[in-house]
Structure formats: structure tokens, C-alpha cells
Amino acid sequence: SQQGEEDPQALSIQEGENATMNCSYKTSINNLQWYRQNSGRGLVHLILIRSNEREKHSGRLRVTLDTSKKSSSLLITASRAADTASYFCATLTQGGSEKLVFGKGMKLTVNP
Amino acid sequence: EAGVVQSPRYKIIEKKQPVAFWCNPISGHNTLYWYLQNLGQGPELLIRYENEEAVDDSQLPKDRFSAERLKGVDSTLKIQPAELGDSAVYLCASSRRRGQGNEQFFGPGTRLTVL
């Protein structure tokens, strides 16, 4: 079963523009993680934000988390062609057996 | 630091045949995961090991799937017999600390095609 749902499912932008991806989830979480997947490097962890955090930065990445709305957003600033990939949010559910549940992902295309 | 190693990268078999996938996690990572990823979907956990103990195998179809992690390092995932619906990418991941709350490092995956 998949909890996170990324929105939009596909996004195409020009190099240098910002890209924003949203993730909504259903149940209470311990943390939320964003991963990137492309054919060259497989699935790579980008950033983790804990349930008691509201915003986090890492390089050109900015993640926000709104637990009241059960949603997160990933902002990639000054995008590059190399950012072309599929992006997944993954939520670590609270209680019981810890389980990292991935969304279906969204495809970002950055045109040079 | 060497990454997670998986083999083979690709496997094509006929239905009802057995198949096995191998994973070598990052050195020092005690937690190992096997995921299944269907086309256009995110990875779904099959089994999680803490050292040699399978601590979460609730999503593993035990009638045909089995896994082992002898000595708490390498792991093997087996399907016997394979069905058409098993065609997917099988990902192995590892993490340094116990539990799933931490960054996971993924291998390149094994793409299985069942004919």
C-alpha cells in the first residue's frame, strides 16, 4: 500500500526555473523523506524532515512539512538538466512496526 | 565508500522457474531491506533485516518468496516458482542504524522479466 501521493505527477520546466513538488499523506508520521531516482544513479536519498520540524534546507533543496494538513513540499531552486528524474516522498508511519511507505512518484523534466 | 551491490542487474526467466537475487549492503550497515518496485510506482517493502533477524516480513508473499541473511551481511531473495506478475525491479537497501527512520542507501536493483 502507498501512503504518499505526489503532485503533480509530471512537471516539465526550463533550466534555471524552480520546481515545486507536493506530497500528501494519510496517517501520522515520524518523519518524511524525499528520494530521487534516475536511470543513472538509482534511488538516492535527498532530505529527511522530522514531524516536529517545519522547514529544512539542503543546498538547492527546501522541504516544508505541515502535519496539520498532512502535506509536504519539495522545492528545487535554479534547476539543472541533471535534476531530471523521478521524485518520491516516503513517510515513516508512527506506532507499531516502523515502515517507510513510498508514494508513486512524480517525473520532473528539466529542459536545457 | 562502496555502495550497495546487487546482482544480477537483469534477469529474464520463464514462468514457474526459480530465481534468486543477491545483495551486499554497505559495510557496517546492520539494517537491510528488500523492496519491490513496479513500473510507475514507488518501492514497496518486502522484508527488513536487523543483522540476521527478519524483523518485518509482513509484505513478503511467503508461499513463493523467501529470503535469508546469513551472518548478517549479504542477503539473498528467492522466488520459486516465478509468476508473470513478479516482473518488476527488486531493490536492496541498507541503513547504518536500526529501524527505518533513517536514510536508506539503495542498490541499482535487479530488473526481473518473467515470460
Side-chain angles (χ1 to χ4, degrees):
Chain A
S1 62
Q2 307 205 283
Q3 161 155 248
E5 189 168 320
E6 294 85 352
D7 171 59
Q9 291 192 332
L11 180 64
S12 181
I13 60 174
Q14 295 300 121
E15 211 166 23
E17 293 180 340
N18 296 341
T20 299
M21 289 160 270
N22 302 301
C23 170
S24 59
Y25 57 92
K26 298 173 184 173
T27 62
S28 297
I29 61 171
N30 279 321
N31 69 49
L32 185 145
Q33 305 177 31
W34 284 90
Y35 285 79
R36 178 180 64 206
Q37 186 175 41
N38 58 32
S39 57
R41 290 196 59 195
L43 202 64
V44 176
H45 181 272
L46 295 176
I47 195 165
L48 180 155
I49 186 165
R50 303 190 189 285
S51 60
N52 60 354
E53 298 176 310
R54 292 296 167 259
E55 187 171 315
K56 204 162 183 180
H57 297 254
S58 177
R60 294 183 297 112
L61 305 180
R62 172 177 168 254
V63 170
T64 61
L65 179 64
D66 187 335
T67 53
S68 66
K69 295 181 179 179
K70 291 186 169 58
S71 68
S72 172
S73 67
L74 172 68
L75 169 67
I76 304 175
T77 60
S79 64
R80 305 167 181 168
D83 294 327
T84 295
S86 291
Y87 290 81
F88 296 88
C89 68
T91 53
L92 183 72
T93 56
Q94 256 186 359
S97 174
E98 280 193 336
K99 195 180 295 291
L100 192 63
V101 181
F102 285 80
K104 292 183 178 181
M106 67 144 290
K107 175 66 177 174
L108 173 67
T109 303
V110 181
N111 302 299
Chain B
E1 172 178 78
V4 176
V5 179
Q6 290 187 249
S7 69
R9 292 293 309 277
Y10 304 91
K11 188 73 177 179
I12 300 174
I13 61 172
E14 294 192 345
K15 63 181 180 181
K16 300 185 182 179
Q17 294 298 305
V19 64
F21 314 122
W22 175 80
C23 172
N24 180 241
I26 293 173
S27 178
H29 283 196
N30 296 322
T31 308
L32 182 146
Y33 316 79
W34 282 103
Y35 287 89
L36 176 152
Q37 185 175 24
N38 287 305
L39 188 65
Q41 303 289 317
E44 296 183 52
L45 180 70
L46 290 173
I47 189 168
R48 171 166 67 100
Y49 282 94
E50 299 290 351
N51 297 306
E52 65 275 7
E53 180 186 1
V55 295
D56 185 355
D57 63 355
S58 57
Q59 301 301 311
L60 190 72
K62 298 181 184 63
D63 57 336
R64 298 184 300 107
F65 286 64
S66 64
E68 60 182 12
R69 191 184 184 197
L70 301 176
K71 301 181 182 178
V73 181
D74 294 4
S75 177
T76 303
L77 178 69
K78 298 179 182 178
I79 308 175
Q80 182 171 13
E83 297 178 352
L84 295 176
D86 297 332
S87 295
V89 176
Y90 292 82
L91 298 167
C92 179
S94 67
S95 63
R96 187 173 294 115
R97 290 177 290 176
R98 185 181 179 88
Q100 285 208 302
N102 308 295
E103 176 182 358
Q104 297 184 24
F105 295 81
F106 283 80
T110 297
R111 183 177 297 277
L112 173 67
T113 301
V114 182
L115 302 176

